[in-house]
Amino acid sequence: MPEGALELAAPTNLPDFARPLVDTISRAGYDTLRWNLKPNDWLIVHALIHSHGIERLARYAIEQCSQRQISYGKYFLPGWRDLPPAPAPDPEGVHRLPVRPAPGPAPSPQAARRNASRNVLDQLADQLRAGGTA
């Protein structure tokens, strides 16, 4: 096989290129996943590793595993395909802006009313403790 050619292992074995991805997912606590993908699926995984990066693929897989019971690594393929590709490296002289934290969820109208009521009650309690009248 020519140097640099993609070597695929038997379906029940992991190709060398996939080992870092599978190990990352396993180290996150999801070490019972079955990775018996077909050779064509491994070709897709290989391409996705190059276009998306191991970290992005692993992050997606770990998020999916935390939400539901997953037994097979093949489950991730459709979601991995739908991910946007990793951003290009920063060109020289261009700097990344700091990431802004996502805004928290807005309180529901019921929660806003409860908070307003608590604030009024807290103010009344403070006035009573201070000897004032309501």
Side-chain angles (χ1 to χ4, degrees):
M1 185 172 274
E3 185 174 327
L6 180 64
E7 293 182 28
L8 293 176
T12 56
N13 294 325
L14 292 175
D16 289 340
F17 67 81
R19 176 57 65 185
L21 173 62
V22 172
D23 287 349
T24 301
I25 296 167
S26 294
R27 285 189 195 106
Y30 303 103
D31 56 355
T32 60
L33 290 170
R34 295 177 190 92
W35 292 96
N36 50 348
L37 278 64
K38 295 177 182 172
N40 286 346
D41 293 331
W42 283 121
L43 287 172
I44 293 168
V45 171
H46 188 260
L48 289 167
I49 288 172
H50 284 285
S51 64
H52 293 71
I54 288 172
E55 181 181 339
R56 180 173 273 181
L57 298 178
R59 194 177 320 133
Y60 174 84
I62 291 164
E63 179 182 310
Q64 293 300 304
C65 287
S66 71
Q67 295 175 6
R68 61 190 55 84
Q69 180 74 32
I70 298 172
S71 300
Y72 294 92
K74 185 173 181 144
Y75 171 87
F76 306 121
L77 289 178
W80 282 344
R81 283 187 194 125
D82 286 343
L83 288 174
D90 292 334
E92 184 146 341
V94 175
H95 302 284
R96 283 185 191 266
L97 297 174
V99 178
R100 289 188 300 165
S108 69
Q110 295 85 0
R113 283 194 297 274
R114 279 193 306 270
N115 288 336
S117 297
R118 286 183 187 132
N119 290 340
V120 168
L121 290 174
D122 288 343
Q123 289 172 354
L124 289 173
D126 290 342
Q127 288 177 358
L128 288 173
R129 275 193 290 273
T133 58

